[in-house]
Amino acid sequence: MRFLYVLLLIAGAAVGIFYPWAMSNFSGHAIGTYRVYEGGRFRPVTVQLAASDAPVRVLVDLTARAERVAGQQRTVLTLTAANGGRTALASALSFNHTDNPRQTSPQLPDKIFRDEAGVIDRITPGSYVFTVGPGDADGIDMRAVDLILRAGTGSIDERAQPAGYTLMGVGLAGLALSLVFGRRGDGAKNPNSQPPPPRWGRGGSPRA
Protein backbone atom coordinates (compact mmCIF):
# COMPACT_ATOMS: atom_id res chain seq x y z
CA MET A 1 0.00 0.00 0.00
CA ARG A 2 2.85 2.38 0.70
CA PHE A 3 3.96 2.13 -2.92
CA LEU A 4 0.44 3.09 -4.04
CA TYR A 5 0.42 6.17 -1.79
CA VAL A 6 3.84 7.21 -3.08
CA LEU A 7 2.50 6.94 -6.63
CA LEU A 8 -0.48 9.13 -5.69
CA LEU A 9 1.88 11.70 -4.20
CA ILE A 10 4.05 11.77 -7.33
CA ALA A 11 1.01 11.96 -9.62
CA GLY A 12 -0.45 14.83 -7.58
CA ALA A 13 2.79 16.79 -7.77
CA ALA A 14 2.96 16.23 -11.53
CA VAL A 15 -0.62 17.40 -12.12
CA GLY A 16 -0.80 20.20 -9.56
CA ILE A 17 2.70 21.68 -9.76
CA PHE A 18 4.75 20.54 -12.74
CA TYR A 19 1.97 20.65 -15.35
CA PRO A 20 0.97 24.34 -14.79
CA TRP A 21 4.64 25.36 -14.58
CA ALA A 22 5.52 23.55 -17.81
CA MET A 23 2.52 24.97 -19.65
CA SER A 24 3.36 28.52 -18.54
CA ASN A 25 7.03 28.37 -19.42
CA PHE A 26 7.47 25.90 -22.28
CA SER A 27 4.26 25.47 -24.25
CA GLY A 28 4.13 27.16 -27.65
CA HIS A 29 7.15 28.93 -29.11
CA ALA A 30 9.03 32.09 -28.19
CA ILE A 31 8.22 35.36 -29.95
CA GLY A 32 11.00 37.23 -28.21
CA THR A 33 12.49 38.70 -25.04
CA TYR A 34 12.54 42.49 -24.66
CA ARG A 35 14.36 44.63 -22.08
CA VAL A 36 11.82 47.12 -20.66
CA TYR A 37 13.83 48.44 -17.70
CA GLU A 38 17.52 49.13 -17.33
CA GLY A 39 19.67 51.88 -15.88
CA GLY A 40 16.81 53.26 -13.81
CA ARG A 41 14.48 53.84 -16.79
CA PHE A 42 11.35 52.11 -18.07
CA ARG A 43 10.62 52.15 -21.77
CA PRO A 44 7.63 50.81 -23.74
CA VAL A 45 8.14 48.07 -26.29
CA THR A 46 6.27 47.74 -29.60
CA VAL A 47 5.87 44.22 -30.99
CA GLN A 48 4.25 43.16 -34.25
CA LEU A 49 1.84 40.27 -33.63
CA ALA A 50 -0.08 38.14 -36.12
CA ALA A 51 -3.39 36.38 -35.69
CA SER A 52 -1.58 33.04 -35.90
CA ASP A 53 0.38 33.95 -32.73
CA ALA A 54 -2.73 33.62 -30.55
CA PRO A 55 -2.93 32.88 -27.76
CA VAL A 56 0.06 34.91 -26.56
CA ARG A 57 1.33 34.37 -23.02
CA VAL A 58 2.97 37.41 -21.41
CA LEU A 59 5.70 36.78 -18.82
CA VAL A 60 7.90 39.24 -16.93
CA ASP A 61 11.36 38.57 -15.47
CA LEU A 62 12.48 40.85 -12.65
CA THR A 63 16.14 40.97 -11.64
CA ALA A 64 16.44 42.35 -8.10
CA ARG A 65 17.77 41.65 -4.62
CA ALA A 66 15.98 38.56 -3.32
CA GLU A 67 15.29 39.78 0.22
CA ARG A 68 13.36 42.78 -1.09
CA VAL A 69 11.02 40.75 -3.27
CA ALA A 70 10.42 37.68 -1.09
CA GLY A 71 7.21 37.99 0.89
CA GLN A 72 6.19 41.16 -0.92
CA GLN A 73 2.44 41.78 -0.68
CA ARG A 74 2.20 44.94 -2.75
CA THR A 75 2.34 45.45 -6.50
CA VAL A 76 5.95 45.53 -7.73
CA LEU A 77 5.23 46.19 -11.41
CA THR A 78 2.25 47.03 -13.59
CA LEU A 79 1.86 45.99 -17.22
CA THR A 80 -0.52 47.00 -20.00
CA ALA A 81 -0.70 45.84 -23.60
CA ALA A 82 -2.58 47.97 -26.13
CA ASN A 83 -3.44 47.60 -29.78
CA GLY A 84 -4.92 50.46 -31.78
CA GLY A 85 -5.55 52.44 -28.62
CA ARG A 86 -7.48 49.58 -26.98
CA THR A 87 -6.21 47.77 -23.91
CA ALA A 88 -5.73 44.08 -24.61
CA LEU A 89 -4.20 43.18 -21.24
CA ALA A 90 -3.70 44.89 -17.87
CA SER A 91 -1.97 43.22 -14.96
CA ALA A 92 -0.43 43.92 -11.54
CA LEU A 93 2.64 41.81 -10.72
CA SER A 94 3.78 41.07 -7.18
CA PHE A 95 6.22 38.14 -7.76
CA ASN A 96 5.37 36.87 -4.24
CA HIS A 97 4.52 33.32 -5.36
CA THR A 98 7.92 32.59 -6.94
CA ASP A 99 9.40 29.74 -4.88
CA ASN A 100 12.64 29.18 -6.77
CA PRO A 101 14.03 32.33 -8.40
CA ARG A 102 16.94 31.88 -10.77
CA GLN A 103 20.36 33.05 -9.65
CA THR A 104 22.21 35.47 -11.90
CA SER A 105 25.65 34.71 -10.45
CA PRO A 106 26.96 32.95 -7.32
CA GLN A 107 28.88 36.14 -6.46
CA LEU A 108 25.85 38.46 -6.69
CA PRO A 109 22.84 38.79 -4.35
CA ASP A 110 20.52 39.51 -7.29
CA LYS A 111 18.05 36.88 -8.47
CA ILE A 112 15.60 36.62 -11.35
CA PHE A 113 11.92 36.38 -10.42
CA ARG A 114 9.30 35.43 -13.01
CA ASP A 115 5.61 36.28 -12.94
CA GLU A 116 2.86 35.79 -15.49
CA ALA A 117 1.01 38.91 -16.59
CA GLY A 118 -1.67 36.94 -18.42
CA VAL A 119 -2.70 35.60 -21.81
CA ILE A 120 -3.98 37.53 -24.83
CA ASP A 121 -6.41 35.03 -26.32
CA ARG A 122 -7.30 36.88 -29.50
CA ILE A 123 -4.77 38.80 -31.54
CA THR A 124 -5.70 41.58 -33.94
CA PRO A 125 -2.83 41.70 -36.47
CA GLY A 126 -0.72 44.78 -35.94
CA SER A 127 1.43 46.62 -33.41
CA TYR A 128 1.03 45.91 -29.71
CA VAL A 129 2.54 48.39 -27.26
CA PHE A 130 3.64 46.82 -23.97
CA THR A 131 4.17 49.29 -21.14
CA VAL A 132 5.71 48.22 -17.84
CA GLY A 133 5.92 50.57 -14.88
CA PRO A 134 6.53 50.59 -11.12
CA GLY A 135 3.87 49.53 -8.65
CA ASP A 136 3.28 50.75 -5.09
CA ALA A 137 5.89 48.49 -3.44
CA ASP A 138 8.74 50.36 -1.75
CA GLY A 139 12.42 49.56 -1.55
CA ILE A 140 12.66 47.25 -4.58
CA ASP A 141 16.20 47.58 -5.91
CA MET A 142 15.55 46.60 -9.52
CA ARG A 143 18.47 45.84 -11.82
CA ALA A 144 16.54 44.86 -14.96
CA VAL A 145 13.08 43.88 -16.19
CA ASP A 146 12.50 41.70 -19.26
CA LEU A 147 9.27 41.07 -21.16
CA ILE A 148 8.87 37.54 -22.56
CA LEU A 149 6.22 36.71 -25.17
CA ARG A 150 5.29 33.16 -26.17
CA ALA A 151 2.96 32.36 -29.07
CA GLY A 152 0.55 29.47 -29.48
CA THR A 153 0.65 28.58 -25.81
CA GLY A 154 -1.69 25.93 -24.46
CA SER A 155 -4.30 26.87 -21.92
CA ILE A 156 -4.02 25.46 -18.41
CA ASP A 157 -6.97 23.36 -17.26
CA GLU A 158 -8.28 25.10 -14.13
CA ARG A 159 -9.17 21.73 -12.63
CA ALA A 160 -5.56 20.52 -12.72
CA GLN A 161 -4.20 22.24 -9.61
CA PRO A 162 -7.12 21.35 -7.26
CA ALA A 163 -7.04 17.75 -8.48
CA GLY A 164 -3.27 17.58 -8.09
CA TYR A 165 -3.34 18.97 -4.55
CA THR A 166 -6.12 16.51 -3.65
CA LEU A 167 -4.02 13.58 -4.88
CA MET A 168 -1.03 14.87 -2.94
CA GLY A 169 -3.13 15.15 0.22
CA VAL A 170 -4.48 11.61 -0.14
CA GLY A 171 -1.00 10.28 -0.81
CA LEU A 172 0.52 12.03 2.20
CA ALA A 173 -2.29 10.98 4.53
CA GLY A 174 -2.19 7.39 3.34
CA LEU A 175 1.59 7.23 3.63
CA ALA A 176 1.48 8.61 7.18
CA LEU A 177 -1.22 6.13 8.24
CA SER A 178 0.63 3.21 6.69
CA LEU A 179 3.79 4.16 8.58
CA VAL A 180 1.89 4.45 11.89
CA PHE A 181 0.05 1.12 11.54
CA GLY A 182 3.18 -0.51 10.17
CA ARG A 183 5.06 0.36 13.36
CA ARG A 184 2.22 -1.04 15.47
CA GLY A 185 2.30 -4.27 13.49
CA ASP A 186 6.04 -4.59 14.01
CA GLY A 187 5.52 -4.14 17.75
CA ALA A 188 3.01 -7.01 17.83
CA LYS A 189 5.68 -9.29 16.38
CA ASN A 190 8.18 -8.42 19.09
CA PRO A 191 9.90 -11.69 20.17
CA ASN A 192 9.86 -10.47 23.79
CA SER A 193 6.06 -10.67 23.72
CA GLN A 194 6.11 -14.45 22.95
CA PRO A 195 6.04 -17.05 25.75
CA PRO A 196 9.49 -18.37 26.69
CA PRO A 197 10.56 -21.79 25.34
CA PRO A 198 10.18 -24.83 27.66
CA ARG A 199 13.00 -25.29 30.16
CA TRP A 200 14.92 -28.55 30.82
CA GLY A 201 13.51 -30.74 33.50
CA ARG A 202 9.98 -31.70 34.43
CA GLY A 203 7.58 -30.64 31.75
CA GLY A 204 10.49 -29.78 29.43
CA SER A 205 11.75 -31.38 26.33
CA PRO A 206 13.48 -34.75 26.84
CA ARG A 207 17.20 -34.90 26.44
CA ALA A 208 18.46 -36.27 23.16
mmCIF file of all heavy atoms in Angstrom, residues 77-113:
data_model
loop_
_atom_site.group_PDB
_atom_site.id
_atom_site.type_symbol
_atom_site.label_atom_id
_atom_site.label_comp_id
_atom_site.label_asym_id
_atom_site.label_seq_id
_atom_site.Cartn_x
_atom_site.Cartn_y
_atom_site.Cartn_z
ATOM 1 N N LEU A 77 5.260 45.638 -10.060
ATOM 2 C CA LEU A 77 5.225 46.192 -11.406
ATOM 3 C C LEU A 77 3.799 46.149 -11.948
ATOM 4 O O LEU A 77 2.989 45.299 -11.557
ATOM 5 C CB LEU A 77 6.140 45.395 -12.352
ATOM 6 C CG LEU A 77 7.643 45.405 -12.071
ATOM 7 C CD1 LEU A 77 8.359 44.412 -12.981
ATOM 8 C CD2 LEU A 77 8.225 46.798 -12.254
ATOM 9 N N THR A 78 3.512 47.065 -12.850
ATOM 10 C CA THR A 78 2.254 47.028 -13.593
ATOM 11 C C THR A 78 2.565 46.854 -15.068
ATOM 12 O O THR A 78 3.630 47.279 -15.541
ATOM 13 C CB THR A 78 1.448 48.322 -13.391
ATOM 14 O OG1 THR A 78 2.209 49.435 -13.879
ATOM 15 C CG2 THR A 78 1.121 48.532 -11.922
ATOM 16 N N LEU A 79 1.658 46.219 -15.787
ATOM 17 C CA LEU A 79 1.856 45.990 -17.219
ATOM 18 C C LEU A 79 0.537 46.200 -17.957
ATOM 19 O O LEU A 79 -0.518 45.757 -17.503
ATOM 20 C CB LEU A 79 2.372 44.581 -17.477
ATOM 21 C CG LEU A 79 2.607 44.189 -18.944
ATOM 22 C CD1 LEU A 79 3.803 43.256 -19.069
ATOM 23 C CD2 LEU A 79 1.362 43.507 -19.539
ATOM 24 N N THR A 80 0.626 46.883 -19.086
ATOM 25 C CA THR A 80 -0.519 47.002 -19.998
ATOM 26 C C THR A 80 -0.048 46.695 -21.412
ATOM 27 O O THR A 80 1.094 46.975 -21.787
ATOM 28 C CB THR A 80 -1.134 48.419 -19.968
ATOM 29 O OG1 THR A 80 -0.139 49.372 -20.355
ATOM 30 C CG2 THR A 80 -1.674 48.749 -18.591
ATOM 31 N N ALA A 81 -0.942 46.090 -22.183
ATOM 32 C CA ALA A 81 -0.695 45.836 -23.597
ATOM 33 C C ALA A 81 -1.854 46.449 -24.373
ATOM 34 O O ALA A 81 -3.025 46.198 -24.046
ATOM 35 C CB ALA A 81 -0.595 44.341 -23.874
ATOM 36 N N ALA A 82 -1.541 47.268 -25.366
ATOM 37 C CA ALA A 82 -2.576 47.969 -26.125
ATOM 38 C C ALA A 82 -2.355 47.797 -27.611
ATOM 39 O O ALA A 82 -1.217 47.734 -28.096
ATOM 40 C CB ALA A 82 -2.579 49.450 -25.767
ATOM 41 N N ASN A 83 -3.473 47.715 -28.322
ATOM 42 C CA ASN A 83 -3.442 47.601 -29.782
ATOM 43 C C ASN A 83 -4.476 48.558 -30.355
ATOM 44 O O ASN A 83 -5.659 48.477 -30.024
ATOM 45 C CB ASN A 83 -3.764 46.158 -30.215
ATOM 46 C CG ASN A 83 -4.017 46.029 -31.694
ATOM 47 O OD1 ASN A 83 -5.155 45.880 -32.119
ATOM 48 N ND2 ASN A 83 -2.961 46.095 -32.484
ATOM 49 N N GLY A 84 -4.009 49.490 -31.180
ATOM 50 C CA GLY A 84 -4.915 50.464 -31.777
ATOM 51 C C GLY A 84 -5.627 51.328 -30.755
ATOM 52 O O GLY A 84 -6.777 51.708 -30.972
ATOM 53 N N GLY A 85 -4.955 51.616 -29.662
ATOM 54 C CA GLY A 85 -5.553 52.443 -28.618
ATOM 55 C C GLY A 85 -6.456 51.693 -27.658
ATOM 56 O O GLY A 85 -6.998 52.289 -26.719
ATOM 57 N N ARG A 86 -6.641 50.389 -27.853
ATOM 58 C CA ARG A 86 -7.478 49.581 -26.975
ATOM 59 C C ARG A 86 -6.609 48.673 -26.107
ATOM 60 O O ARG A 86 -5.660 48.067 -26.595
ATOM 61 C CB ARG A 86 -8.454 48.730 -27.798
ATOM 62 C CG ARG A 86 -9.479 49.548 -28.579
ATOM 63 C CD ARG A 86 -10.444 48.626 -29.299
ATOM 64 N NE ARG A 86 -11.458 49.386 -30.026
ATOM 65 C CZ ARG A 86 -12.448 48.843 -30.711
ATOM 66 N NH1 ARG A 86 -12.546 47.517 -30.792
ATOM 67 N NH2 ARG A 86 -13.328 49.609 -31.340
ATOM 68 N N THR A 87 -6.974 48.598 -24.838
ATOM 69 C CA THR A 87 -6.209 47.769 -23.908
ATOM 70 C C THR A 87 -6.554 46.306 -24.113
ATOM 71 O O THR A 87 -7.714 45.897 -23.990
ATOM 72 C CB THR A 87 -6.501 48.176 -22.455
ATOM 73 O OG1 THR A 87 -6.139 49.545 -22.274
ATOM 74 C CG2 THR A 87 -5.714 47.314 -21.479
ATOM 75 N N ALA A 88 -5.536 45.513 -24.418
ATOM 76 C CA ALA A 88 -5.725 44.079 -24.612
ATOM 77 C C ALA A 88 -5.409 43.292 -23.350
ATOM 78 O O ALA A 88 -5.900 42.163 -23.172
ATOM 79 C CB ALA A 88 -4.845 43.585 -25.756
ATOM 80 N N LEU A 89 -4.592 43.875 -22.468
ATOM 81 C CA LEU A 89 -4.197 43.183 -21.237
ATOM 82 C C LEU A 89 -3.739 44.222 -20.227
ATOM 83 O O LEU A 89 -3.029 45.157 -20.573
ATOM 84 C CB LEU A 89 -3.071 42.184 -21.515
ATOM 85 C CG LEU A 89 -2.512 41.391 -20.320
ATOM 86 C CD1 LEU A 89 -3.571 40.441 -19.785
ATOM 87 C CD2 LEU A 89 -1.270 40.612 -20.721
ATOM 88 N N ALA A 90 -4.154 44.039 -18.978
ATOM 89 C CA ALA A 90 -3.696 44.887 -17.873
ATOM 90 C C ALA A 90 -3.465 43.986 -16.670
ATOM 91 O O ALA A 90 -4.314 43.142 -16.344
ATOM 92 C CB ALA A 90 -4.715 45.974 -17.551
ATOM 93 N N SER A 91 -2.317 44.136 -16.040
ATOM 94 C CA SER A 91 -1.966 43.220 -14.962
ATOM 95 C C SER A 91 -1.109 43.916 -13.907
ATOM 96 O O SER A 91 -0.345 44.836 -14.217
ATOM 97 C CB SER A 91 -1.217 42.013 -15.519
ATOM 98 O OG SER A 91 -0.871 41.103 -14.503
ATOM 99 N N ALA A 92 -1.275 43.471 -12.657
ATOM 100 C CA ALA A 92 -0.434 43.920 -11.541
ATOM 101 C C ALA A 92 0.410 42.731 -11.094
ATOM 102 O O ALA A 92 -0.124 41.641 -10.826
ATOM 103 C CB ALA A 92 -1.286 44.435 -10.396
ATOM 104 N N LEU A 93 1.707 42.899 -11.012
ATOM 105 C CA LEU A 93 2.637 41.811 -10.719
ATOM 106 C C LEU A 93 3.261 42.016 -9.341
ATOM 107 O O LEU A 93 3.801 43.086 -9.045
ATOM 108 C CB LEU A 93 3.735 41.757 -11.785
ATOM 109 C CG LEU A 93 3.241 41.704 -13.242
ATOM 110 C CD1 LEU A 93 4.403 41.837 -14.205
ATOM 111 C CD2 LEU A 93 2.485 40.423 -13.498
ATOM 112 N N SER A 94 3.204 40.981 -8.516
ATOM 113 C CA SER A 94 3.783 41.068 -7.176
ATOM 114 C C SER A 94 4.973 40.142 -6.979
ATOM 115 O O SER A 94 5.767 40.345 -6.055
ATOM 116 C CB SER A 94 2.724 40.732 -6.117
ATOM 117 O OG SER A 94 2.233 39.414 -6.307
ATOM 118 N N PHE A 95 5.097 39.075 -7.806
ATOM 119 C CA PHE A 95 6.221 38.135 -7.755
ATOM 120 C C PHE A 95 6.329 37.425 -6.411
ATOM 121 O O PHE A 95 7.366 36.847 -6.099
ATOM 122 C CB PHE A 95 7.561 38.851 -8.034
ATOM 123 C CG PHE A 95 7.628 39.502 -9.385
ATOM 124 C CD1 PHE A 95 7.239 40.829 -9.535
ATOM 125 C CD2 PHE A 95 8.065 38.812 -10.494
ATOM 126 C CE1 PHE A 95 7.287 41.459 -10.784
ATOM 127 C CE2 PHE A 95 8.108 39.421 -11.738
ATOM 128 C CZ PHE A 95 7.723 40.745 -11.883
ATOM 129 N N ASN A 96 5.270 37.449 -5.593
ATOM 130 C CA ASN A 96 5.367 36.871 -4.243
ATOM 131 C C ASN A 96 5.115 35.375 -4.207
ATOM 132 O O ASN A 96 5.208 34.766 -3.145
ATOM 133 C CB ASN A 96 4.407 37.585 -3.289
ATOM 134 C CG ASN A 96 2.967 37.523 -3.758
ATOM 135 O OD1 ASN A 96 2.667 36.868 -4.742
ATOM 136 N ND2 ASN A 96 2.084 38.222 -3.072
ATOM 137 N N HIS A 97 4.765 34.758 -5.340
ATOM 138 C CA HIS A 97 4.524 33.318 -5.361
ATOM 139 C C HIS A 97 5.675 32.553 -5.996
ATOM 140 O O HIS A 97 5.589 31.348 -6.198
ATOM 141 C CB HIS A 97 3.241 33.013 -6.151
ATOM 142 C CG HIS A 97 3.316 33.443 -7.585
ATOM 143 N ND1 HIS A 97 3.052 34.728 -7.978
ATOM 144 C CD2 HIS A 97 3.653 32.767 -8.714
ATOM 145 C CE1 HIS A 97 3.202 34.829 -9.280
ATOM 146 N NE2 HIS A 97 3.573 33.647 -9.756
ATOM 147 N N THR A 98 6.773 33.246 -6.306
ATOM 148 C CA THR A 98 7.918 32.590 -6.942
ATOM 149 C C THR A 98 8.739 31.871 -5.884
ATOM 150 O O THR A 98 9.391 32.494 -5.051
ATOM 151 C CB THR A 98 8.795 33.620 -7.674
ATOM 152 O OG1 THR A 98 7.983 34.358 -8.581
ATOM 153 C CG2 THR A 98 9.905 32.924 -8.434
ATOM 154 N N ASP A 99 8.716 30.522 -5.911
ATOM 155 C CA ASP A 99 9.404 29.742 -4.882
ATOM 156 C C ASP A 99 10.893 29.575 -5.162
ATOM 157 O O ASP A 99 11.706 29.557 -4.246
ATOM 158 C CB ASP A 99 8.757 28.358 -4.760
ATOM 159 C CG ASP A 99 7.313 28.442 -4.303
ATOM 160 O OD1 ASP A 99 7.005 29.365 -3.529
ATOM 161 O OD2 ASP A 99 6.504 27.606 -4.719
ATOM 162 N N ASN A 100 11.246 29.454 -6.425
ATOM 163 C CA ASN A 100 12.638 29.182 -6.769
ATOM 164 C C ASN A 100 13.135 30.159 -7.825
ATOM 165 O O ASN A 100 13.192 29.834 -9.011
ATOM 166 C CB ASN A 100 12.786 27.744 -7.284
ATOM 167 C CG ASN A 100 12.439 26.724 -6.223
ATOM 168 O OD1 ASN A 100 13.046 26.712 -5.158
ATOM 169 N ND2 ASN A 100 11.467 25.870 -6.495
ATOM 170 N N PRO A 101 13.495 31.388 -7.417
ATOM 171 C CA PRO A 101 14.030 32.333 -8.398
ATOM 172 C C PRO A 101 15.376 31.869 -8.931
ATOM 173 O O PRO A 101 16.126 31.167 -8.249
ATOM 174 C CB PRO A 101 14.173 33.630 -7.589
ATOM 175 C CG PRO A 101 14.284 33.186 -6.163
ATOM 176 C CD PRO A 101 13.438 31.952 -6.060
ATOM 177 N N ARG A 102 15.669 32.249 -10.157
ATOM 178 C CA ARG A 102 16.942 31.880 -10.768
ATOM 179 C C ARG A 102 18.041 32.819 -10.270
ATOM 180 O O ARG A 102 17.811 34.003 -10.062
ATOM 181 C CB ARG A 102 16.840 31.938 -12.295
ATOM 182 C CG ARG A 102 15.695 31.134 -12.852
ATOM 183 C CD ARG A 102 15.795 30.952 -14.354
ATOM 184 N NE ARG A 102 15.972 32.177 -15.104
ATOM 185 C CZ ARG A 102 14.973 32.949 -15.493
ATOM 186 N NH1 ARG A 102 13.726 32.643 -15.161
ATOM 187 N NH2 ARG A 102 15.188 34.022 -16.199
ATOM 188 N N GLN A 103 19.218 32.277 -10.126
ATOM 189 C CA GLN A 103 20.357 33.046 -9.650
ATOM 190 C C GLN A 103 21.147 33.578 -10.833
ATOM 191 O O GLN A 103 21.463 32.832 -11.765
ATOM 192 C CB GLN A 103 21.245 32.184 -8.761
ATOM 193 C CG GLN A 103 22.266 32.977 -7.960
ATOM 194 C CD GLN A 103 22.914 32.116 -6.887
ATOM 195 O OE1 GLN A 103 22.762 30.909 -6.881
ATOM 196 N NE2 GLN A 103 23.631 32.739 -5.967
ATOM 197 N N THR A 104 21.448 34.874 -10.805
ATOM 198 C CA THR A 104 22.207 35.471 -11.902
ATOM 199 C C THR A 104 23.674 35.073 -11.843
ATOM 200 O O THR A 104 24.287 34.789 -12.859
ATOM 201 C CB THR A 104 22.094 36.998 -11.855
ATOM 202 O OG1 THR A 104 22.584 37.479 -10.586
ATOM 203 C CG2 THR A 104 20.642 37.433 -12.010
ATOM 204 N N SER A 105 24.241 35.067 -10.634
ATOM 205 C CA SER A 105 25.647 34.709 -10.453
ATOM 206 C C SER A 105 25.867 34.339 -8.994
ATOM 207 O O SER A 105 25.272 34.957 -8.103
ATOM 208 C CB SER A 105 26.554 35.889 -10.829
ATOM 209 O OG SER A 105 27.892 35.622 -10.452
ATOM 210 N N PRO A 106 26.698 33.328 -8.710
ATOM 211 C CA PRO A 106 26.964 32.951 -7.315
ATOM 212 C C PRO A 106 27.572 34.086 -6.502
ATOM 213 O O PRO A 106 27.474 34.094 -5.273
ATOM 214 C CB PRO A 106 27.949 31.775 -7.458
ATOM 215 C CG PRO A 106 27.729 31.245 -8.832
ATOM 216 C CD PRO A 106 27.384 32.438 -9.669
ATOM 217 N N GLN A 107 28.222 35.034 -7.178
ATOM 218 C CA GLN A 107 28.880 36.135 -6.464
ATOM 219 C C GLN A 107 27.948 37.323 -6.205
ATOM 220 O O GLN A 107 28.318 38.237 -5.473
ATOM 221 C CB GLN A 107 30.102 36.628 -7.254
ATOM 222 C CG GLN A 107 31.277 35.644 -7.304
ATOM 223 C CD GLN A 107 31.043 34.509 -8.281
ATOM 224 O OE1 GLN A 107 30.353 34.677 -9.279
ATOM 225 N NE2 GLN A 107 31.612 33.340 -7.982
ATOM 226 N N LEU A 108 26.749 37.324 -6.811
ATOM 227 C CA LEU A 108 25.852 38.463 -6.689
ATOM 228 C C LEU A 108 24.606 38.099 -5.896
ATOM 229 O O LEU A 108 24.121 36.972 -5.969
ATOM 230 C CB LEU A 108 25.443 38.973 -8.081
ATOM 231 C CG LEU A 108 26.564 39.497 -8.971
ATOM 232 C CD1 LEU A 108 26.020 39.869 -10.347
ATOM 233 C CD2 LEU A 108 27.254 40.707 -8.327
ATOM 234 N N PRO A 109 24.062 39.068 -5.117
ATOM 235 C CA PRO A 109 22.837 38.794 -4.352
ATOM 236 C C PRO A 109 21.577 38.881 -5.199
ATOM 237 O O PRO A 109 20.494 38.541 -4.723
ATOM 238 C CB PRO A 109 22.858 39.896 -3.287
ATOM 239 C CG PRO A 109 23.566 41.041 -3.951
ATOM 240 C CD PRO A 109 24.610 40.417 -4.838
ATOM 241 N N ASP A 110 21.699 39.342 -6.443
ATOM 242 C CA ASP A 110 20.524 39.506 -7.295
ATOM 243 C C ASP A 110 20.011 38.148 -7.787
ATOM 244 O O ASP A 110 20.791 37.235 -8.058
ATOM 245 C CB ASP A 110 20.855 40.373 -8.513
ATOM 246 C CG ASP A 110 21.318 41.760 -8.116
ATOM 247 O OD1 ASP A 110 20.969 42.195 -7.006
ATOM 248 O OD2 ASP A 110 22.029 42.396 -8.904
ATOM 249 N N LYS A 111 18.677 38.062 -7.916
ATOM 250 C CA LYS A 111 18.046 36.875 -8.467
ATOM 251 C C LYS A 111 16.973 37.295 -9.459
ATOM 252 O O LYS A 111 16.513 38.430 -9.455
ATOM 253 C CB LYS A 111 17.451 36.009 -7.359
ATOM 254 C CG LYS A 111 18.512 35.356 -6.472
ATOM 255 C CD LYS A 111 17.900 34.361 -5.517
ATOM 256 C CE LYS A 111 19.000 33.669 -4.691
ATOM 257 N NZ LYS A 111 18.438 32.658 -3.764
ATOM 258 N N ILE A 112 16.592 36.349 -10.319
ATOM 259 C CA ILE A 112 15.596 36.623 -11.354
ATOM 260 C C ILE A 112 14.273 35.989 -10.948
ATOM 261 O O ILE A 112 14.183 34.771 -10.786
ATOM 262 C CB ILE A 112 16.054 36.090 -12.721
ATOM 263 C CG1 ILE A 112 17.395 36.713 -13.119
ATOM 264 C CG2 ILE A 112 15.002 36.377 -13.789
ATOM 265 C CD1 ILE A 112 17.982 36.134 -14.390
ATOM 266 N N PHE A 113 13.258 36.826 -10.781
ATOM 267 C CA PHE A 113 11.918 36.375 -10.421
ATOM 268 C C PHE A 113 11.027 36.459 -11.657
ATOM 269 O O PHE A 113 11.065 37.451 -12.385
ATOM 270 C CB PHE A 113 11.334 37.252 -9.311
ATOM 271 C CG PHE A 113 12.112 37.206 -8.026
ATOM 272 C CD1 PHE A 113 13.249 37.980 -7.844
ATOM 273 C CD2 PHE A 113 11.707 36.380 -6.993
ATOM 274 C CE1 PHE A 113 13.964 37.934 -6.661
ATOM 275 C CE2 PHE A 113 12.420 36.328 -5.803
ATOM 276 C CZ PHE A 113 13.548 37.104 -5.633
#
